[in-house]
Each structure stands twice: as C-alpha cells, then as structure tokens.
Amino acid sequence: MKIIYADTFFKRLIGLMGKKDFNHILLFANLRDSSIHTMFMRFEIDVYFIDENKRVFDKASLKPWRFYKAKKQAKYVLETKKGVLKIKIGDYLDFI
C-alpha cells in the first residue's frame, strides 16, 4: 500500500478533502496540533495518532463532517479509509 507523506502545510490542508475514494495511507508529520476534521470528505476514515517513539496512542473512526482531538499531542497522524489497516493502540510502527 502506498504511503503519501503530508509534510507541508498545503498537503496537510488538503488531506483527503473532496476525494471520492482513497486506497493509500496519508501520513501527517511536523504537527502543531493533534486535532483533525473530516469536512468535505466523502467516506469514513480511521485515524491513528502516533507519538515520537512511533507508538500508536489513540485511534478514531470518523464519518464525514466530524471533528476529533487526540488525548495528547501527536508527532504523526496516519489516515486511511475505514477498515483498511488492523492497527491497535499500543502498536509500534516502522516508517521513515
């Protein structure tokens, strides 16, 4: 599965908005805030909040037009179409 690295302001701003379907993983980095929204999205997503040790500490499944704020500040946020990944809270991820 292809990972799209959203490491710029513009990539983070657009994210998955307006897409009809998405068969990749979107990885956000260099975050200032751990809140997300699903405004203008057309499908449900799973969102994984990851700390500096690349450990998943929070997960949310969101329908379009919702907001969510993680329990603490994340270093990375991973988004994908709902049900695609089987990641659990406490899992460690390996990515560059």
Side-chain angles (χ1 to χ4, degrees):
M1 182 168 283
K2 182 178 176 182
I3 296 177
I4 297 171
Y5 191 54
D7 59 345
T8 67
F9 172 78
F10 186 71
K11 288 179 186 176
R12 288 190 298 269
L13 176 68
I14 298 302
L16 299 175
M17 290 192 305
K19 299 210 178 351
K20 291 182 182 178
D21 198 11
F22 190 74
N23 295 317
H24 306 299
I25 297 169
L26 186 61
L27 179 65
F28 293 86
N30 304 321
L31 303 174
R32 295 182 187 179
D33 186 17
S34 290
S35 62
I36 63 155
H37 69 82
T38 56
M39 308 309 261
F40 307 102
M41 294 174 88
R42 299 179 177 192
F43 51 88
E44 291 183 62
I45 62 170
D46 286 333
V47 183
Y48 303 92
F49 297 89
I50 305 163
D51 66 18
E52 62 279 350
N53 298 313
K54 298 183 180 172
R55 183 180 145 282
V56 177
F57 68 85
D58 197 2
K59 177 191 175 198
S61 294
L62 300 171
K63 294 180 179 181
W65 299 94
R66 302 288 192 264
F67 289 94
Y68 187 81
K69 182 158 179 72
K71 298 173 185 174
K72 65 178 187 175
Q73 178 61 38
K75 173 93 175 173
Y76 308 96
V77 173
L78 188 143
E79 294 182 358
T80 190
K81 193 171 180 178
K82 186 174 180 178
V84 170
L85 300 175
K86 304 300 179 204
I87 297 173
K88 300 180 298 288
I89 292 176
D91 286 353
Y92 285 89
L93 305 179
D94 187 20
F95 56 86
I96 297 174

